[in-house]
Amino acid sequence: MLAFPGIRAFDVSVITEVWGVDRADRGVPPFELRRAAADPTAPVPIPGGLSLTPDRPLSWLDEADLVVVPGLTDPDVDIATPVLDALRRAHRAGTPVAALCAGAFALARAGLLDGRRAVTHWYVADRLRERHPAVTVEPNALFIEDGGLWTSAGTAAGVDLCLHLVRTAQGAETAATIARAMVTAPFRTGTQAQFIEHPTPRADRDADALAAVRAHALAHLDAPHTVASLAARAGMSPRTFARHFRATTGTTPLRWLTAQRVAAAQKLLERTDHPLPEVARRAGFGSEVTMRQHFAAHLATSPRDYRAAFRQTAGSSPTAR
C-alpha cells in the first residue's frame, strides 16, 4: 500500500481488511501487506485526525507483487515527486498497480494513464477528464484494467476491485472467504454500473421477487435460463423484469447470469478434476467453447490456463507473498 498525505481512511481500512488480516485458519493464504512511504520513520497524516505508520521506504515497491494506491480525499492534493516516481518505476517493472476511487488522479499525475481507460468516483470523473485529457475516463464501470493499471469507482467499488485482485491471484474461493468475513458481495463484475436506483415501497416488493429469482438461478446454473423464463418466475413481463433487474443490480439479467457462471466455473476448476466439458455443463455454459469465450472476455485467460495457474499458485510456498 502506497502511503502519502491525503489518502482516505476508508480505503486504507479496506486494503488492510483484505490483505492485512490473518485468515489462515479459514484457508486463506498469508499475505504480506507493507505500507510504503517517502519517509518510513514518520507517521502519514490522514484526514479525520488519523495517521498511518509506514513500515517500508518507497524503494520497497520494487519488491512488491502488487501496488495499491488508496483513494484521495481531495483529487488536487499535493503528491510528492518521489511518490510519483515510485509509481512509474513499479509500472515499468511490470508490477500491477491498482488505484481506488480518486487514487486514479495519482496514476494520472504520474502519466501512467495517458492513452488508457480509467474510472474514478462519478463525482470527480469530469474533473479527471478535464485535468488529464489524454485519459479515457469511463463514466459507469465499477472497475477496469488497462495495461496492468487498475482503477475503481468510489467507496464500495474499491472493495470490489480488491476482492477481484485476490480472486485473480488466489482463486474464487479465497476471495469468497474474505468477502464472507467482510460481509460483502463476493462477486460484482467491473462492468456493472455505478448507479443503482433507490428503492421505493413498490420497488422493494419487486426486489424481493428478483432476489428469489436470482437465488433460484444460482441454485440451477446448469439450466438454460433466458430473460423470458426468469421473468415468468418473477411474475413479470420480460421487459418489466429486465428494467427492474437493472435498477436493483446495476446490470442486465444475462450479464449477471454470465458473471455467476464464470464464478461457478472458477470454483469447479479450483476444487475438482472434472474435465473441461463437465465443468462447462455444471456451470451452465453448455459447451467448453462457450465457456472458453466467456473466460477470455471476463478473465483474459482460458479455463485450462486458469486451472494450471491456480494450482501452481496453490502449490507454492505458504510464505510466498
Side-chain angles (χ1 to χ4, degrees):
M1 175 165 53
L2 190 57
F4 52 91
I7 56 177
R8 293 199 327 153
F10 178 85
D11 298 311
V12 169
S13 298
V14 167
I15 296 166
T16 303
E17 185 69 23
V18 171
W19 284 289
V21 177
D22 184 0
R23 298 188 176 95
D25 60 332
R26 281 166 275 183
V28 175
F31 300 117
E32 182 182 345
L33 175 63
R34 296 301 183 187
R35 294 160 292 278
D39 182 357
T41 66
V44 175
I46 300 176
L50 305 175
S51 65
L52 174 69
T53 302
D55 54 17
R56 291 294 185 276
L58 292 176
S59 59
W60 196 83
L61 268 62
D62 298 339
E63 303 180 37
D65 300 304
L66 170 69
V67 175
V68 186
V69 182
L72 309 178
T73 55
D74 178 2
D76 296 322
V77 67
D78 289 335
I79 302 177
T81 298
V83 173
L84 300 178
D85 287 341
L87 284 171
R88 297 183 186 108
R89 286 198 311 273
H91 181 59
R92 281 198 302 268
T95 304
V97 178
L100 310 188
C101 196
F105 284 80
L107 303 191
R109 215 171 299 174
L112 301 182
L113 297 181
D114 288 355
R116 302 186 187 278
R117 298 164 58 241
V119 65
T120 189
H121 193 292
W122 61 267
Y123 187 73
V124 293
D126 287 341
R127 199 184 310 184
L128 180 62
R129 191 178 291 110
E130 293 165 1
R131 300 279 198 282
H132 304 279
V135 181
T136 300
V137 181
E138 299 289 345
N140 296 318
L142 292 182
F143 58 84
I144 58 176
E145 182 270 343
D146 193 338
L149 298 165
W150 293 88
T151 51
S152 79
T155 314
V159 179
D160 296 321
L161 174 55
C162 290
L163 290 174
H164 178 78
L165 292 169
V166 170
R167 184 182 305 109
T168 301
Q170 299 291 340
E173 185 58 30
T174 295
T177 299
I178 296 174
R180 283 194 295 271
M182 296 175 65
V183 196
T184 189
F187 191 78
R188 286 206 303 171
T189 63
T191 54
Q192 289 185 222
Q194 292 193 35
F195 298 101
I196 297 177
E197 295 177 16
H198 295 291
T200 62
R202 170 61 186 272
D204 285 340
R205 293 195 296 272
D206 292 339
D208 290 341
L210 295 178
V213 170
R214 291 197 300 272
H216 172 80
L218 287 173
H220 304 87
L221 282 176
D222 57 339
H225 302 296
T226 64
V227 173
S229 67
L230 295 174
R233 178 167 287 275
M236 303 178 187
S237 70
R239 179 175 295 183
T240 299
F241 174 78
R243 185 174 69 252
H244 286 297
F245 194 98
R246 189 178 189 99
T248 56
T249 66
T251 190
T252 67
L254 293 184
R255 285 181 180 174
W256 176 86
L257 188 60
T258 297
Q260 304 309 316
R261 283 173 168 161
V262 168
Q266 286 178 275
K267 289 185 179 181
L268 288 167
L269 291 168
E270 294 168 14
R271 296 176 176 178
T272 75
D273 292 317
H274 294 321
L276 297 185
E278 178 64 10
V279 171
R281 185 192 69 78
R282 293 189 179 208
F285 287 115
S287 72
E288 182 183 346
V289 172
T290 301
M291 179 173 68
R292 188 161 58 244
Q293 292 171 341
H294 286 298
F295 261 63
H298 283 75
L299 304 175
T301 189
S302 69
R304 190 180 305 278
D305 288 346
Y306 178 86
R307 173 176 270 171
F310 174 79
R311 294 192 172 180
Q312 181 179 14
T313 301
S316 62
S317 168
T319 60
R321 286 192 307 275

